[in-house]
Amino acid sequence: MTRVVVIPGDGIGPSITESTIQIIEATGVPIQWVEAQAGLGAFQSVGDPLPAATVELIRDVKLGLKGPLTTPVGSGFRSVNVALRKEFDLYINLRPAKSFKGVISRYSDIDLVLFRENTEGMYSGVEHYIDAKRNAAESISIVTREGCRRIIRAAFQYAVEHGRKKVTIVHKANILKFTSGTFLEVGREIAAEFPQIASDDKIVDNMAMQLVMNPHQFDVMVTTNLFGDILSDLISGLVGGLGLAPGANIGQDVAIFEAVHGSAPDIAGKNLANPGALLLAGAMLLRHIGHADAAANIEQALADVIAEGRFVTKDLNKESGVGTTEMTRAIIERLK
Ligand code: NAD
């Protein structure tokens, strides 16, 4: 039986985690869920947003399914998500965006995959005020050649393994000549190792506009940490919003699967959260551990429920009177 650490998380986290576990269990894949705490809830109950016991458990089990975690804005403890990515060197943040029939959105046939570097860049955590009165602050973006190499190579390898045609390297090398410049330079070197995959590069601001205007010209994209964080929300917007955007954080030894969205405190505890994003992350987890059929069944059951449009949360259908629990039940019914 495969063991998976499950972190329910904050806000809507516990309800969408419960929903995802129920649906995965309905596929019959034998998983032993081992619960651990992290985030604001852990900070409030044990005084530490990332307890050592949670870190040790993940180190041992090597697989995680994580609900969203609240990070205080502007002050307070630093992001536990960022800490986990650094602790386990989860350098790949894989964020696909795929259209679902029945979801009202600007485009209907999007199938994009974004590879975001997950441990370096503007999220290196090197940030401080430079004067005692806190009138000025600086953040340092650290970009290493090896860090660029491994994420860009992962994107090209994914393209080969999944029959993708093109990889776009996204950067800001016109202005950030050293950090983004290194990323682009390494990107061009790696692209030459994969002649069977087309490649191009785009400056990030142009990329944002092109993604909105004509997303079909893109296939796989690879970029640095901050740009990837922003562009992954953008591509989720192309397919109808954050409610259906999953993500995987993958390193050499450990992989943690999560939704792209946050803890949504505005709708927490109201049975309004769409479980789809975390469920799709759960399907990515199943594929990762060799249960591709169960993953495909979950994706199909979710797609069927969304296409029918009756048992979906309000973010997918404004007229809907049902919530997380009813949507979960409908997906399980479809699986049967
Ligand atoms: P958010 O993603 O939580 O919410 C943005 C908007 O999308 C809100 O209106 C919310 O109601 C809606 N939304 C999000 N998920 C939804 C779902 N499953 N179903 C229906 N609607 C959904 O972003 P935010 O409000 O900027 O952040 C809230 C908290 O989450 C912050 O503390 C932030 O740091 C944290 N956060 C955590 C993660 C993570 O754990 N990976 C990611 C992003 C933000």
Side-chain angles (χ1 to χ4, degrees):
M1 186 176 281
T2 309
R3 284 199 304 157
V4 176
V5 175
V6 57
I7 299 175
D10 301 311
I12 60 172
S15 74
I16 57 172
T17 305
E18 191 189 330
S19 160
T20 298
I21 289 176
Q22 281 175 12
I23 295 165
I24 291 179
E25 288 191 338
T27 66
V29 174
I31 291 181
Q32 185 189 347
W33 304 99
V34 192
E35 192 168 323
Q37 297 306 317
L40 184 62
F43 181 70
Q44 285 162 347
S45 61
V46 297
D48 186 349
L50 184 54
T54 298
V55 173
E56 285 321 307
L57 194 59
I58 297 172
R59 199 183 308 287
D60 177 38
V61 172
K62 298 186 170 41
L63 272 177
L65 178 72
K66 191 186 71 57
L69 308 176
T70 296
T71 309
V73 176
S75 59
F77 61 81
R78 296 190 85 86
S79 165
V80 173
N81 298 310
V82 174
L84 283 171
R85 292 164 190 164
K86 279 178 164 288
E87 178 70 36
F88 296 109
D89 199 21
L90 306 175
Y91 65 95
I92 300 171
N93 192 189
L94 169 54
R95 292 183 161 183
K98 203 166 176 196
S99 296
F100 278 85
K101 194 164 164 267
V103 178
I104 298 164
S105 57
R106 193 178 172 91
Y107 298 100
S108 57
D109 48 356
I110 298 290
D111 185 7
L112 294 166
V113 178
L114 183 99
F115 276 75
R116 162 192 175 194
E117 201 294 318
N118 218 13
T119 56
E120 302 192 332
M122 287 305 292
Y123 292 27
S124 299
V126 188
E127 194 185 34
H128 51 247
Y129 289 103
I130 58 176
D131 66 328
K133 290 190 172 161
R134 300 186 163 203
N135 282 324
E138 63 185 13
S139 287
I140 296 176
S141 170
I142 297 172
V143 171
T144 66
R145 219 165 261 282
E146 184 47 32
C148 299
R149 215 171 268 140
R150 60 186 188 170
I151 185 69
I152 296 167
R153 189 164 280 131
F156 276 90
Q157 264 159 2
Y158 177 96
V160 171
E161 285 161 17
H162 293 81
R164 298 278 178 162
K165 302 276 179 285
K166 185 169 97 169
V167 175
T168 300
I169 301 156
V170 184
H171 62 90
K172 187 74 188 176
N174 51 332
I175 306 295
L176 306 171
K177 292 188 190 295
F178 297 160
T179 48
S180 231
T182 301
F183 191 79
L184 178 58
E185 195 181 304
V186 172
R188 286 177 174 158
E189 283 165 19
I190 305 270
E193 293 172 18
F194 293 85
Q196 70 276 45
I197 303 293
S199 78
D200 63 358
D201 63 83
K202 288 264 177 299
I203 293 174
V204 64
D205 34 346
N206 177 29
M207 184 72 186
M209 184 273 287
Q210 300 270 349
L211 272 169
V212 173
M213 298 297 288
N214 179 16
H216 298 107
Q217 64 184 300
F218 300 112
D219 189 352
V220 176
M221 299 160 283
V222 60
T223 190
T224 44
N225 207 335
L226 175 61
F227 299 158
D229 199 2
I230 298 167
L231 291 181
S232 57
D233 269 37
L234 190 156
I235 60 173
S236 79
L238 296 177
V239 298
L242 285 167
L244 294 170
N249 301 281
I250 304 169
Q252 207 59 41
D253 303 317
V254 174
I256 299 178
F257 298 80
E258 63 180 349
V260 170
H261 63 71
S263 54
D266 53 334
I267 58 167
K270 298 179 180 165
N271 196 31
L272 287 174
N274 178 355
L278 192 64
L279 180 60
L280 290 169
M284 290 172 88
L285 184 154
L286 290 178
R287 264 206 187 85
H288 187 78
I289 58 173
H291 291 283
D293 287 351
N297 288 343
I298 286 180
E299 287 159 353
Q300 191 57 52
L302 175 66
D304 289 347
V305 167
I306 293 172
E308 195 204 18
R310 277 202 304 152
F311 297 103
V312 294
T313 44
K314 271 200 177 353
D315 58 310
L316 295 177
N317 176 1
K318 281 196 175 37
E319 312 295 311
S320 164
V322 311
T324 317
T325 45
E326 293 82 358
M327 184 165 167
T328 304
R329 215 174 296 133
I331 296 167
I332 291 171
E333 280 303 312
R334 285 280 172 171
L335 271 175
K336 285 178 186 160

